[in-house]
Amino acid sequence: MQRRQLAVLASVCALLAGSLLAIATRANAAAGCSVKYTVASQWPGGFGATVDVTNLGDPVTSWSLVFTFPAGQTITQLWNGSVTQSGSTVTVRNAAWNGSVATGGTASVGFNGSWTGSNPAPTSFALNGVTCNGSTTNPSSPTPSASSSSPPATQKTKIMALGDSITGSPGCWRALLWQKLPADKVDFVGTLPGQGCGFDYDGENEGHGGYLATNVATQNLLVGWLAATDPDVVLMHFGTNDVWSNLPTTQILAAFTTLVGQMRASNPAMKILVAQIIPMNPSTCTECAQRVVALNAAIPAWAASLTTTASPITVVDQWTGFDTATDTYDGVHPNDAGNVKIAAKWYPPLAAALP
Protein backbone atom coordinates (compact mmCIF):
# COMPACT_ATOMS: atom_id res chain seq x y z
CA MET A 1 0.00 0.00 0.00
CA GLN A 2 1.62 3.23 -1.12
CA ARG A 3 1.86 6.02 1.42
CA ARG A 4 1.36 9.65 0.55
CA GLN A 5 3.05 12.23 2.70
CA LEU A 6 0.85 15.00 3.97
CA ALA A 7 1.87 18.57 3.48
CA VAL A 8 -0.55 19.60 6.16
CA LEU A 9 0.59 19.51 9.76
CA ALA A 10 -2.42 18.71 11.91
CA SER A 11 -1.46 20.11 15.27
CA VAL A 12 -3.54 20.87 18.24
CA CYS A 13 -1.95 22.95 20.98
CA ALA A 14 -3.80 23.33 24.24
CA LEU A 15 -2.85 24.12 27.79
CA LEU A 16 -3.94 21.26 29.98
CA ALA A 17 -4.64 21.97 33.61
CA GLY A 18 -4.30 18.82 35.62
CA SER A 19 -2.41 17.03 38.30
CA LEU A 20 0.44 15.13 36.67
CA LEU A 21 1.13 13.01 39.69
CA ALA A 22 1.81 9.40 40.56
CA ILE A 23 -1.40 7.39 40.76
CA ALA A 24 -1.45 7.10 44.53
CA THR A 25 -0.93 10.81 45.30
CA ARG A 26 -3.34 13.72 45.43
CA ALA A 27 -3.10 16.93 43.42
CA ASN A 28 -0.93 19.22 45.53
CA ALA A 29 1.44 20.90 43.06
CA ALA A 30 1.29 23.41 40.23
CA ALA A 31 0.44 21.51 37.07
CA GLY A 32 -0.20 22.13 33.40
CA CYS A 33 1.15 21.23 30.02
CA SER A 34 0.94 21.84 26.31
CA VAL A 35 0.16 19.10 23.81
CA LYS A 36 1.11 19.01 20.14
CA TYR A 37 -0.63 16.41 17.96
CA THR A 38 0.96 15.94 14.55
CA VAL A 39 -0.11 13.71 11.67
CA ALA A 40 3.22 12.99 9.97
CA SER A 41 1.94 10.75 7.18
CA GLN A 42 -1.30 9.34 5.89
CA TRP A 43 -2.28 6.70 3.37
CA PRO A 44 -5.57 5.04 2.41
CA GLY A 45 -6.98 3.59 5.61
CA GLY A 46 -3.96 4.39 7.79
CA PHE A 47 -1.83 7.16 9.24
CA GLY A 48 1.13 7.85 11.51
CA ALA A 49 1.08 10.52 14.23
CA THR A 50 3.05 11.85 17.19
CA VAL A 51 1.94 13.44 20.44
CA ASP A 52 4.39 15.73 22.29
CA VAL A 53 3.50 16.57 25.89
CA THR A 54 5.45 19.44 27.48
CA ASN A 55 5.22 19.83 31.24
CA LEU A 56 4.55 23.44 32.26
CA GLY A 57 4.05 22.74 35.94
CA ASP A 58 6.12 21.20 38.71
CA PRO A 59 8.21 18.08 37.94
CA VAL A 60 6.09 14.94 37.66
CA THR A 61 6.77 11.23 38.03
CA SER A 62 3.96 9.77 35.91
CA TRP A 63 1.34 10.90 33.42
CA SER A 64 -1.78 9.76 31.60
CA LEU A 65 -3.23 11.50 28.55
CA VAL A 66 -6.81 10.96 27.35
CA PHE A 67 -8.31 12.15 24.09
CA THR A 68 -11.15 11.17 21.78
CA PHE A 69 -10.89 10.56 18.06
CA PRO A 70 -13.67 12.56 16.37
CA ALA A 71 -14.16 10.13 13.47
CA GLY A 72 -13.73 6.74 15.09
CA GLN A 73 -10.04 6.26 14.27
CA THR A 74 -8.24 3.37 15.94
CA ILE A 75 -4.67 3.11 17.19
CA THR A 76 -3.03 -0.05 15.88
CA GLN A 77 0.48 0.38 17.29
CA LEU A 78 2.02 2.81 19.79
CA TRP A 79 5.56 3.32 21.05
CA ASN A 80 7.13 5.20 24.00
CA GLY A 81 4.09 4.42 26.16
CA SER A 82 1.13 2.11 26.66
CA VAL A 83 -2.32 2.61 25.19
CA THR A 84 -5.86 1.44 25.79
CA GLN A 85 -8.81 2.42 23.63
CA SER A 86 -12.48 2.21 24.53
CA GLY A 87 -14.52 3.08 21.47
CA SER A 88 -13.17 6.43 20.31
CA THR A 89 -11.63 7.28 23.69
CA VAL A 90 -7.87 6.78 23.89
CA THR A 91 -5.78 6.66 27.06
CA VAL A 92 -1.99 6.85 26.74
CA ARG A 93 0.21 6.25 29.79
CA ASN A 94 3.91 6.76 30.21
CA ALA A 95 6.41 3.98 29.68
CA ALA A 96 8.60 2.85 32.58
CA TRP A 97 11.40 5.16 31.49
CA ASN A 98 9.60 8.41 30.54
CA GLY A 99 7.20 8.96 33.43
CA SER A 100 9.42 11.58 35.07
CA VAL A 101 9.19 14.91 33.25
CA ALA A 102 10.93 18.03 34.57
CA THR A 103 9.42 21.49 34.34
CA GLY A 104 9.75 22.46 30.69
CA GLY A 105 10.53 18.87 29.71
CA THR A 106 8.72 16.96 26.98
CA ALA A 107 7.53 13.37 26.67
CA SER A 108 6.70 12.10 23.20
CA VAL A 109 4.76 9.11 21.91
CA GLY A 110 4.19 7.96 18.36
CA PHE A 111 1.59 5.68 16.89
CA ASN A 112 0.10 4.21 13.77
CA GLY A 113 -3.64 4.22 13.34
CA SER A 114 -6.45 3.28 11.01
CA TRP A 115 -9.27 5.45 9.69
CA THR A 116 -12.29 5.33 7.39
CA GLY A 117 -14.03 8.25 5.76
CA SER A 118 -11.94 11.03 7.28
CA ASN A 119 -9.07 11.52 9.70
CA PRO A 120 -9.56 14.78 11.64
CA ALA A 121 -7.28 15.53 14.59
CA PRO A 122 -8.59 15.35 18.17
CA THR A 123 -9.65 18.79 19.35
CA SER A 124 -9.28 18.37 23.10
CA PHE A 125 -7.20 16.44 25.56
CA ALA A 126 -7.44 15.60 29.26
CA LEU A 127 -4.56 14.87 31.59
CA ASN A 128 -5.20 12.62 34.59
CA GLY A 129 -8.92 13.24 34.21
CA VAL A 130 -8.72 17.04 33.93
CA THR A 131 -10.12 18.67 30.79
CA CYS A 132 -7.97 21.34 29.11
CA ASN A 133 -8.92 24.79 30.37
CA GLY A 134 -6.03 26.97 29.19
CA SER A 135 -4.33 27.61 32.54
CA THR A 136 -1.82 26.17 34.94
CA THR A 137 -3.18 25.20 38.34
CA ASN A 138 -1.46 26.10 41.59
CA PRO A 139 -1.54 24.21 44.88
CA SER A 140 -4.09 25.28 47.41
CA SER A 141 -2.82 26.62 50.69
CA PRO A 142 -2.97 23.96 53.39
CA THR A 143 -5.79 24.26 55.84
CA PRO A 144 -4.44 25.10 59.31
CA SER A 145 -4.81 22.29 61.79
CA ALA A 146 -7.33 22.84 64.52
CA SER A 147 -5.83 23.45 67.93
CA SER A 148 -6.24 20.83 70.60
CA SER A 149 -8.70 23.11 72.38
CA SER A 150 -10.98 23.39 69.33
CA PRO A 151 -14.07 21.19 69.25
CA PRO A 152 -13.73 18.30 66.79
CA ALA A 153 -15.30 18.91 63.38
CA THR A 154 -18.08 16.62 62.25
CA GLN A 155 -16.43 13.72 60.48
CA LYS A 156 -17.54 13.35 56.89
CA THR A 157 -18.21 10.03 55.19
CA LYS A 158 -15.56 9.46 52.53
CA ILE A 159 -16.99 8.18 49.25
CA MET A 160 -14.91 6.70 46.43
CA ALA A 161 -16.45 6.44 42.95
CA LEU A 162 -14.54 3.60 41.26
CA GLY A 163 -14.65 2.65 37.61
CA ASP A 164 -13.60 3.61 34.10
CA SER A 165 -14.40 6.53 31.78
CA ILE A 166 -18.11 6.27 32.57
CA THR A 167 -17.16 7.30 36.10
CA GLY A 168 -14.38 9.76 35.37
CA SER A 169 -14.36 11.24 31.87
CA PRO A 170 -15.95 13.52 32.90
CA GLY A 171 -18.46 11.47 34.90
CA CYS A 172 -20.81 14.38 35.57
CA TRP A 173 -23.28 12.01 37.22
CA ARG A 174 -20.94 12.33 40.22
CA ALA A 175 -21.50 16.09 40.25
CA LEU A 176 -25.26 15.63 40.10
CA LEU A 177 -25.10 13.02 42.86
CA TRP A 178 -23.01 15.34 45.04
CA GLN A 179 -25.69 18.03 44.66
CA LYS A 180 -28.27 15.67 46.14
CA LEU A 181 -26.19 14.85 49.23
CA PRO A 182 -25.57 16.95 52.38
CA ALA A 183 -22.25 18.68 51.70
CA ASP A 184 -21.39 18.83 55.39
CA LYS A 185 -21.62 15.03 55.69
CA VAL A 186 -19.84 13.69 52.59
CA ASP A 187 -16.37 13.90 51.08
CA PHE A 188 -15.81 12.40 47.63
CA VAL A 189 -12.26 11.04 47.51
CA GLY A 190 -9.89 9.73 44.87
CA THR A 191 -6.45 10.20 43.36
CA LEU A 192 -7.97 11.81 40.25
CA PRO A 193 -9.39 15.36 40.33
CA GLY A 194 -12.84 16.24 39.06
CA GLN A 195 -13.57 17.58 35.59
CA GLY A 196 -15.69 20.55 34.61
CA CYS A 197 -19.43 19.89 34.76
CA GLY A 198 -20.71 23.46 34.72
CA PHE A 199 -20.63 24.09 38.48
CA ASP A 200 -18.33 23.60 41.44
CA TYR A 201 -18.52 20.22 43.15
CA ASP A 202 -16.41 17.75 45.13
CA GLY A 203 -15.01 15.83 42.19
CA GLU A 204 -12.17 13.58 43.35
CA ASN A 205 -12.65 10.07 42.01
CA GLU A 206 -11.12 6.82 40.71
CA GLY A 207 -12.69 6.83 37.26
CA HIS A 208 -9.78 5.67 35.09
CA GLY A 209 -10.60 5.88 31.38
CA GLY A 210 -9.88 2.68 29.48
CA TYR A 211 -9.18 0.58 32.59
CA LEU A 212 -10.41 -3.00 32.93
CA ALA A 213 -11.59 -4.24 36.32
CA THR A 214 -9.60 -7.42 35.71
CA ASN A 215 -6.38 -5.46 35.21
CA VAL A 216 -6.97 -3.24 38.24
CA ALA A 217 -7.44 -6.40 40.32
CA THR A 218 -4.44 -8.37 39.02
CA GLN A 219 -2.12 -5.36 39.18
CA ASN A 220 -3.28 -4.42 42.70
CA LEU A 221 -3.88 -0.82 41.63
CA LEU A 222 -6.79 -0.35 44.00
CA VAL A 223 -4.56 -1.03 47.01
CA GLY A 224 -2.64 2.21 46.42
CA TRP A 225 -5.78 4.23 45.71
CA LEU A 226 -7.36 3.01 48.94
CA ALA A 227 -4.24 3.80 50.96
CA ALA A 228 -4.19 7.34 49.56
CA THR A 229 -7.86 8.11 50.21
CA ASP A 230 -9.18 5.84 53.02
CA PRO A 231 -12.85 5.70 51.92
CA ASP A 232 -15.80 4.53 53.99
CA VAL A 233 -18.05 3.80 51.00
CA VAL A 234 -17.18 2.65 47.48
CA LEU A 235 -19.49 3.10 44.49
CA MET A 236 -18.29 0.71 41.79
CA HIS A 237 -19.46 0.88 38.18
CA PHE A 238 -16.90 -1.36 36.51
CA GLY A 239 -16.68 -3.97 33.78
CA THR A 240 -17.54 -2.07 30.58
CA ASN A 241 -14.06 -2.42 29.09
CA ASP A 242 -13.85 -6.04 30.26
CA VAL A 243 -17.08 -6.77 28.40
CA TRP A 244 -15.75 -4.91 25.37
CA SER A 245 -12.63 -7.10 25.54
CA ASN A 246 -14.85 -10.22 25.46
CA LEU A 247 -13.73 -11.44 28.88
CA PRO A 248 -16.04 -14.06 30.40
CA THR A 249 -18.42 -13.11 33.19
CA THR A 250 -16.70 -15.53 35.57
CA GLN A 251 -13.36 -13.75 35.09
CA ILE A 252 -14.91 -10.33 35.65
CA LEU A 253 -16.66 -11.46 38.83
CA ALA A 254 -13.43 -13.03 40.09
CA ALA A 255 -11.82 -9.61 39.66
CA PHE A 256 -14.71 -8.02 41.57
CA THR A 257 -14.09 -10.50 44.39
CA THR A 258 -10.43 -9.49 44.53
CA LEU A 259 -11.38 -5.81 44.62
CA VAL A 260 -13.87 -6.41 47.45
CA GLY A 261 -11.15 -8.19 49.42
CA GLN A 262 -8.82 -5.26 48.94
CA MET A 263 -11.53 -2.83 50.05
CA ARG A 264 -12.13 -4.80 53.23
CA ALA A 265 -8.42 -5.08 53.93
CA SER A 266 -8.33 -1.29 53.85
CA ASN A 267 -11.51 -0.90 55.91
CA PRO A 268 -13.24 -3.96 57.42
CA ALA A 269 -16.46 -1.95 57.67
CA MET A 270 -16.43 -0.78 54.05
CA LYS A 271 -19.88 -0.26 52.57
CA ILE A 272 -19.82 -1.34 48.93
CA LEU A 273 -22.33 -0.34 46.25
CA VAL A 274 -21.90 -2.31 43.01
CA ALA A 275 -23.70 -1.37 39.82
CA GLN A 276 -25.36 -3.60 37.33
CA ILE A 277 -23.73 -1.53 34.62
CA ILE A 278 -25.49 0.63 32.07
CA PRO A 279 -26.21 -0.91 28.65
CA MET A 280 -23.70 -0.54 25.85
CA ASN A 281 -24.21 -0.71 22.11
CA PRO A 282 -21.07 0.52 20.36
CA SER A 283 -20.98 0.33 16.59
CA THR A 284 -17.77 -1.73 16.79
CA CYS A 285 -19.17 -4.44 19.06
CA THR A 286 -22.50 -5.99 18.16
CA GLU A 287 -22.11 -8.65 20.87
CA CYS A 288 -21.44 -6.22 23.72
CA ALA A 289 -25.08 -5.57 24.52
CA GLN A 290 -25.75 -9.21 25.32
CA ARG A 291 -22.49 -9.58 27.22
CA VAL A 292 -23.60 -6.76 29.54
CA VAL A 293 -26.90 -8.58 30.10
CA ALA A 294 -25.00 -11.72 31.07
CA LEU A 295 -22.72 -9.88 33.47
CA ASN A 296 -25.56 -7.99 35.12
CA ALA A 297 -27.59 -11.17 35.55
CA ALA A 298 -24.77 -12.77 37.51
CA ILE A 299 -24.02 -9.82 39.82
CA PRO A 300 -26.84 -10.26 42.39
CA ALA A 301 -25.89 -13.85 43.25
CA TRP A 302 -22.21 -12.90 43.37
CA ALA A 303 -22.96 -10.03 45.76
CA ALA A 304 -25.18 -12.19 47.96
CA SER A 305 -22.36 -14.70 48.36
CA LEU A 306 -19.94 -12.04 49.65
CA THR A 307 -22.05 -9.55 51.57
CA THR A 308 -21.58 -9.40 55.35
CA THR A 309 -23.18 -7.50 58.18
CA ALA A 310 -19.97 -5.58 58.82
CA SER A 311 -19.31 -4.84 55.15
CA PRO A 312 -22.54 -5.05 53.16
CA ILE A 313 -22.60 -5.18 49.37
CA THR A 314 -25.59 -3.45 47.78
CA VAL A 315 -26.44 -4.06 44.13
CA VAL A 316 -27.62 -0.95 42.28
CA ASP A 317 -29.52 -1.51 39.04
CA GLN A 318 -28.15 1.05 36.59
CA TRP A 319 -29.27 -0.99 33.56
CA THR A 320 -33.06 -0.84 33.81
CA GLY A 321 -34.52 2.27 32.20
CA PHE A 322 -31.26 3.34 30.56
CA ASP A 323 -31.44 3.63 26.76
CA THR A 324 -28.22 3.81 24.73
CA ALA A 325 -30.08 5.59 21.93
CA THR A 326 -31.19 8.53 24.08
CA ASP A 327 -28.92 8.38 27.15
CA THR A 328 -25.47 8.08 25.54
CA TYR A 329 -23.60 10.05 22.91
CA ASP A 330 -21.79 7.04 21.42
CA GLY A 331 -23.63 3.95 22.56
CA VAL A 332 -21.40 3.65 25.64
CA HIS A 333 -20.79 6.91 27.51
CA PRO A 334 -23.66 8.79 29.17
CA ASN A 335 -24.84 12.15 27.86
CA ASP A 336 -26.60 14.72 30.05
CA ALA A 337 -29.80 12.68 30.17
CA GLY A 338 -27.84 9.55 31.03
CA ASN A 339 -25.94 11.31 33.82
CA VAL A 340 -29.23 12.37 35.40
CA LYS A 341 -30.45 8.76 35.39
CA ILE A 342 -27.22 7.37 36.83
CA ALA A 343 -27.15 9.91 39.67
CA ALA A 344 -30.79 9.20 40.47
CA LYS A 345 -30.13 5.46 40.72
CA TRP A 346 -27.10 5.88 43.01
CA TYR A 347 -28.76 8.33 45.39
CA PRO A 348 -31.19 6.20 47.46
CA PRO A 349 -28.71 3.42 48.39
CA LEU A 350 -25.90 5.90 48.98
CA ALA A 351 -28.07 8.09 51.20
CA ALA A 352 -29.03 4.97 53.14
CA ALA A 353 -25.33 4.12 53.63
CA LEU A 354 -24.58 7.45 55.34
CA PRO A 355 -24.52 7.42 59.13
Side-chain angles (χ1 to χ4, degrees):
M1 183 180 296
Q2 183 178 5
R3 297 190 177 191
R4 63 181 175 87
Q5 298 294 320
L6 287 183
V8 177
L9 179 70
S11 45
V12 179
C13 294
L15 289 177
L16 305 180
S19 57
L20 276 144
L21 297 175
I23 283 178
T25 61
R26 289 183 181 251
N28 59 3
C33 77
S34 62
V35 172
K36 183 179 180 181
Y37 178 95
T38 305
V39 176
S41 61
Q42 181 171 302
W43 57 96
F47 68 104
T50 59
V51 182
D52 300 308
V53 184
T54 301
N55 179 27
L56 303 178
D58 291 344
V60 300
T61 57
S62 68
W63 51 267
S64 175
L65 184 68
V66 177
F67 58 92
T68 300
F69 280 126
Q73 300 99 313
T74 301
I75 291 180
T76 57
Q77 180 184 21
L78 181 136
W79 48 96
N80 297 343
S82 62
V83 63
T84 56
Q85 185 166 350
S86 176
S88 296
T89 302
V90 175
T91 302
V92 180
R93 298 177 181 83
N94 61 272
W97 51 268
N98 66 351
S100 295
V101 185
T103 302
T106 299
S108 300
V109 297
F111 65 87
N112 291 328
S114 62
W115 61 278
T116 56
S118 62
N119 185 29
T123 57
S124 65
F125 296 82
L127 197 62
N128 284 2
V130 178
T131 303
C132 314
N133 67 2
S135 65
T136 301
T137 62
N138 292 306
S140 302
S141 299
T143 303
S145 299
S147 66
S148 58
S149 59
S150 301
T154 302
Q155 186 172 354
K156 294 183 177 182
T157 300
K158 295 181 180 180
I159 303 166
M160 172 190 285
L162 172 65
D164 44 44
S165 57
I166 291 171
T167 296
S169 298
C172 287
W173 61 261
R174 292 181 292 102
L176 299 175
L177 179 59
W178 176 83
Q179 282 188 321
K180 296 174 178 287
L181 297 167
D184 61 334
K185 294 183 178 180
V186 298
D187 177 17
F188 279 75
V189 297
T191 61
L192 299 179
Q195 296 190 34
C197 291
F199 55 88
D200 291 336
Y201 70 103
D202 185 1
E204 292 174 317
N205 68 96
E206 296 296 351
H208 297 263
Y211 277 35
L212 279 69
T214 47
N215 288 346
V216 170
T218 57
Q219 296 173 23
N220 295 319
L221 299 179
L222 181 58
V223 174
W225 303 338
L226 291 166
T229 59
D230 191 26
D232 305 297
V233 180
V234 174
L235 314 181
M236 188 171 81
H237 187 290
F238 229 160
T240 298
N241 292 310
D242 303 82
V243 167
W244 210 325
S245 300
N246 197 21
L247 297 182
T249 293
T250 53
Q251 185 176 348
I252 300 171
L253 293 181
F256 285 5
T257 299
T258 297
L259 297 177
V260 167
Q262 293 169 348
M263 295 174 198
R264 289 171 172 168
S266 170
N267 178 358
M270 188 78 76
K271 296 179 180 179
I272 305 165
L273 278 58
V274 177
Q276 290 173 295
I277 64 176
I278 62 173
M280 58 185 296
N281 189 28
S283 59
T284 57
C285 181
T286 58
E287 302 86 7
C288 281
Q290 187 56 43
R291 294 176 197 161
V292 170
V293 171
L295 173 62
N296 284 341
I299 286 176
W302 164 84
S305 71
L306 290 178
T307 192
T308 66
T309 302
S311 175
I313 299 176
T314 302
V315 177
V316 180
D317 181 6
Q318 291 287 358
W319 191 89
T320 301
F322 196 98
D323 187 343
T324 57
T326 59
D327 298 327
T328 74
Y329 60 84
D330 61 356
V332 179
H333 299 90
N335 57 20
D336 290 345
N339 283 322
V340 170
K341 289 185 177 181
I342 294 173
K345 287 290 189 72
W346 279 126
Y347 175 70
L350 179 56
L354 299 180

